[in-house]
Amino acid sequence: QRTLQTFGTGRQYPLVAVFHVESGDIRAQSGIEAAIAAGAAENEGSRVSSWFATKDEAFVSADRKTMFAQIYPTGESTFESVLPIEETRRALAANAPAGVTTHVTGVDAIFQSQGETGGPSVLIEVLIGGIGALLILLFVFGTLPAVLMPLLVAVSSILTTFLCVYGLTYVTDVSVVVQFLVALVGLGIAIDYTLLMIFRFREEIAN
């Protein structure tokens, strides 16, 4: 919080710009510092840490063919915050010297590649979990009304919790992991609780 207050950055994961050359010393390649600056310019107000600023060998691989720089975006991470990852990637590639390959990685870059292009959404994961639960519940209960009750409770509880979390994001920061936990715990507890309800109901009928 002090770093954010003083510098305007430090509360978001940095974008990691990676540079690689097949032969020679990556530090001797002219133009990499300008490429880093171009990538940082796509993140307005960002700060940069690199070998050029610090001369710290931690930014360079042991074989001197690869180096990285960290671009720290401004502000705090929220559900709505979207970093210009693709723009940064294009700026690095366009300004890097010939023979130097560029990449952008980091927590947000990995999340973007997994969550938007190749990974399943929360809805798909809940549907997969719901179908699996449906098959198991059909085996356990054997009747459709008893099977549908846990799923109805799960739907109502998950959507209600999402609504509460959405309201909470206007008050404080909420981790993106929460959406997966809500789906997972909501489905599991809904099934557990309705199992208790149904078996108690059947016990009372038997009595």
Side-chain angles (χ1 to χ4, degrees):
Q1 289 293 344
R2 289 178 178 177
T3 305
L4 178 65
Q5 186 177 12
T6 304
F7 300 105
T9 62
R11 286 286 291 168
Q12 296 210 64
Y13 292 108
L15 295 179
V16 182
V18 182
F19 301 87
H20 178 75
V21 66
E22 290 297 332
S23 60
D25 192 328
I26 189 68
R27 298 170 299 177
Q29 302 294 320
S30 61
I32 293 182
E33 190 172 7
I36 295 173
E42 297 293 334
N43 299 265
E44 187 176 354
S46 63
R47 290 188 303 119
V48 175
S49 61
S50 68
W51 178 85
F52 299 98
T54 65
K55 302 304 180 184
D56 191 335
E57 294 300 315
F59 288 97
V60 185
S61 64
D63 61 3
R64 303 294 184 262
K65 292 183 178 180
T66 306
M67 71 162 48
F68 73 94
Q70 293 177 311
I71 301 173
Y72 294 87
T74 58
E76 301 209 30
S77 179
T78 65
F79 276 128
E80 287 78 22
S81 61
V82 179
L83 299 181
I85 297 171
E86 286 302 324
E87 292 84 348
T88 303
R89 185 176 284 116
R90 286 195 294 267
L92 293 175
N95 291 275
V100 175
T101 57
T102 62
H103 305 277
V104 175
T105 185
V107 173
D108 290 281
I110 293 173
F111 276 167
Q112 183 191 70
S113 65
Q114 295 299 314
E116 294 182 7
T117 59
S121 66
V122 177
L123 177 60
I124 294 176
E125 290 185 349
V126 172
L127 289 176
I128 293 173
I131 293 172
L134 180 64
L135 296 175
I136 295 173
L137 292 171
L138 277 172
F139 176 77
V140 173
F141 291 133
T143 61
L144 189 59
V147 168
L148 292 179
M149 184 174 290
L151 300 182
L152 291 175
V153 173
V155 169
S156 62
S157 62
I158 290 172
L159 293 179
T160 302
T161 309
F162 274 146
L163 185 61
C164 294
V165 171
Y166 180 69
L168 191 62
T169 59
Y170 287 95
V171 180
T172 183
D173 294 329
V174 178
S175 171
V176 294
V177 178
V178 170
Q179 59 183 324
F180 299 100
L181 293 179
V182 168
L184 173 68
V185 176
L187 182 62
I189 290 182
I191 293 174
D192 286 345
Y193 189 69
T194 48
L195 283 172
L196 175 64
M197 292 169 56
I198 291 170
F199 279 112
R200 283 285 305 190
F201 186 76
R202 287 180 173 178
E203 287 175 4
E204 293 299 323
I205 291 178
N207 291 333

